[in-house]
Amino acid sequence: MKVLLAVTGGIACYKSPEIVRRLVDNGVEVRVIMTHSACEFIKPLVFQAVSGFPVHTELLDEQAEAGMGHIELARWADVLLIAPATANTLAKMVAGTADDLLSTVCLATTATQIVAPAMNSMMWYHAATQANIETLQSRNVTVLGPGEGSQACGETGVGRMLEPADIVRALVDLKDQSGVDKTLAGKQVLITAGPTREDVDPVRFISNHSSGKMGFALARAASIAGARVTLVAGPVSLDTPAGVSRVDVTSAESMHKAVMQVVSEADVFIAVAAVADYRVAEQSESKIKKTSADMVLRLERNPDILADVSALPNRPVCIGFAAETDNLEGYARDKLTRKNLDMIIANRVGVAGNGFNSDKNAVEVFWPDGHQSFTARSKQSLALELIGLISTRCLSK
Ligand code: PMT
């Protein structure tokens, strides 16, 4: 994806270099144009350094016309992102003014246009700005934000530019959406993610290192592929992917209950959660005092959520995960058969940079008569590929 970032003259433009850096980290090609007012706040050199390309500021620039003039820039971009977008820029877009580089590019491009407004909250709520936003939306311009909070002018309210991470997430979603077929359109997908916590007493618990990243990435990928997604999540600190409906739980028993309540509607169940196999048999209602040198906790088995779902009479397609330190294929195939699954996704754990709590994962996928390997890649892109594989192998029969 090629993103033309346009920076206009608002104080929020001090955050825009961070947008460039994050987009580049996500494999997006970025070029930058700046209005003259933006150059009063921040030097073009900053954007040149983070993007690695010269910054464009002039409509009539002999050098630029020989290289990338306004028409070339307008043609080059897949996405025109204006961040921050001032009230003045929004008004010029609506009016169709073409008196500088940015306004001319806005008219000349067929790229997807996205604006991240930033202004004082009175300016945001002014009838003129609100009418301009409505007009831009009716012309298919996507409006991201603005957010709420303290503002550079000293006031508090709506008008802050969204954080760079939120803007970039929206763009990366757009990039992924454009490359993914809607193979799960009309399907309901149920996913478990994260760890469970088994209380010992009111202040202590037993848990594991699952961050929820793999399960959340799959929920996002399934939603991008057109599914209605319910995500039953253990205790994690992750944002809910766009369009996904989330149920928060804590223990294995509460995860089991939440899954059983909604599973009858599911076409596909993907068990990514690292569910505690055991819980503490006698949980103490008060804090256990350290009166002796050692302590024995008796543990009892938790229900196996995946096995219980796959044993249902009208069961959905059942996909399991296997977290193994050794004999990956042997243990994974054993679980595939024993838990009566359609597919199992095995990852090696206990290896730095893979499995638990990392941003990347490498997996071996097994189904009754087949196998496919996925070398290490980001959990986000792995999830998109796994959803593609699940659609082909398990749903298109
Ligand atoms: O969350 P991250 O930090 O991104 O890490 C991802 C992950 C390593 C947790 C994930 O990729 C993974 O491997 N999840 C499964 C971990 C696990 O518990 O594996 P298992 O081999 O113990 O269980 C096999 C399958 O049965 C899993 O699908 C599990 O969700 C399911 N299960 C297990 C026990 C139980 N009581 N109920 C279950 O549903």
Side-chain angles (χ1 to χ4, degrees):
M1 182 168 67
K2 295 173 184 157
V3 173
L4 182 60
L5 171 68
V7 184
T8 72
I11 181 61
C13 69
Y14 81 92
K15 295 180 182 173
S16 303
E18 176 72 7
I19 299 176
V20 178
R21 199 187 56 75
R22 285 175 178 265
L23 285 172
V24 170
D25 285 352
N26 277 283
V28 174
E29 280 187 67
V30 186
R31 301 285 188 278
V32 180
I33 63 179
M34 295 176 74
T35 62
H36 290 165
S37 320
C39 297
E40 300 284 326
F41 285 93
I42 186 165
K43 282 199 183 323
L45 199 58
V46 176
F47 290 99
Q48 181 168 327
V50 285
S51 70
F53 290 93
V55 172
H56 304 265
T57 56
E58 302 303 325
L59 174 58
L60 302 172
D61 177 339
E62 278 177 26
Q63 271 187 345
E65 290 301 326
M68 254 208 185
H70 62 281
I71 298 296
E72 285 90 342
L73 284 166
R75 284 191 190 134
W76 174 86
D78 299 316
V79 174
L80 170 62
L81 167 67
I82 308 178
T86 58
N88 179 52
T89 300
L90 300 174
K92 285 174 73 172
M93 288 171 80
V94 169
T97 312
D99 62 353
D100 63 4
L101 178 59
L102 172 57
S103 53
T104 312
V105 168
C106 284
L107 289 183
T109 192
T110 54
T112 303
Q113 297 195 25
I114 301 177
V115 293
M119 66 198 74
N120 159 280
S121 70
M122 297 297 285
M123 291 169 75
W124 171 251
Y125 282 122
H126 194 284
T129 307
Q130 289 302 306
N132 287 340
I133 287 290
E134 242 176 70
T135 306
L136 290 174
Q137 284 172 326
S138 73
R139 294 179 192 163
N140 291 327
V141 174
T142 302
V143 180
L144 298 178
E148 192 171 356
S150 61
Q151 300 194 290
C153 56
E155 288 180 19
T156 301
V158 176
R160 284 167 63 99
M161 185 173 82
L162 287 190
E163 291 306 316
D166 297 325
I167 293 172
V168 171
R169 195 174 309 121
L171 258 87
V172 172
D173 278 354
L174 192 79
K175 176 180 159 222
D176 287 345
Q177 270 160 20
S178 64
V180 173
D181 295 335
K182 299 285 176 198
T183 49
L184 293 181
K187 301 289 181 195
Q188 177 83 42
V189 175
L190 176 61
I191 298 178
T192 61
T196 61
R197 270 183 198 169
E198 308 303 320
D199 283 344
V200 175
D201 68 12
V203 297
R204 303 178 180 93
F205 58 80
I206 298 171
S207 189
N208 59 63
H209 293 293
S210 171
S211 61
K213 287 176 192 170
M214 191 69 244
F216 276 57
L218 277 158
R220 171 181 175 270
S223 172
I224 288 174
R228 280 171 291 125
V229 182
T230 303
L231 177 62
V232 179
V236 294
S237 348
L238 294 175
D239 292 333
T240 311
V244 168
S245 131
R246 172 171 172 177
V247 181
D248 284 316
V249 297
T250 309
S251 65
E253 281 184 304
S254 60
M255 185 174 274
H256 184 272
K257 192 170 164 210
V259 165
M260 290 305 167
Q261 261 168 10
V262 293
V263 71
S264 62
E265 291 157 22
D267 300 294
V268 181
F269 176 54
I270 312 178
V272 196
V275 186
D277 292 314
Y278 293 90
R279 63 174 174 269
V280 178
E282 289 96 24
Q283 290 175 20
S284 172
E285 281 180 13
S286 53
K287 184 182 172 190
I288 301 171
K289 293 292 172 193
K290 46 178 186 293
T291 47
S292 57
D294 56 11
M295 183 173 125
V296 175
L297 285 177
R298 195 172 69 80
L299 303 179
E300 61 189 12
R301 281 294 286 267
N302 268 325
D304 189 315
I305 304 167
L306 179 56
D308 286 356
V309 169
S310 83
L312 291 170
N314 289 318
R315 88 192 210 348
V317 165
C318 287
I319 317 286
F321 265 73
E324 309 293 347
T325 52
D326 51 279
N327 188 19
L328 209 64
E329 174 155 10
Y331 289 136
R333 284 214 177 270
D334 172 60
K335 279 175 193 166
L336 181 73
T337 317
R338 200 162 30 83
K339 296 198 185 194
N340 183 31
L341 308 178
D342 298 278
M343 181 180 274
I344 191 146
I345 300 163
N347 40 202
R348 205 171 284 284
V349 291
V351 181
N354 209 59
F356 284 105
N357 200 19
S358 68
D359 291 326
K360 290 188 172 174
N361 209 4
V363 298
E364 301 281 330
V365 185
F366 302 98
W367 56 97
D369 55 356
H371 165 239
Q372 189 167 337
S373 300
F374 293 85
T375 52
R377 61 203 71 191
S378 78
K379 285 181 177 171
Q380 298 291 343
S381 59
L382 175 63
L384 290 165
E385 294 185 67
L386 290 174
I387 288 296
L389 184 65
I390 292 167
S391 310
T392 321
R393 289 272 151 215
C394 308
L395 289 167
S396 48
K397 287 175 187 164

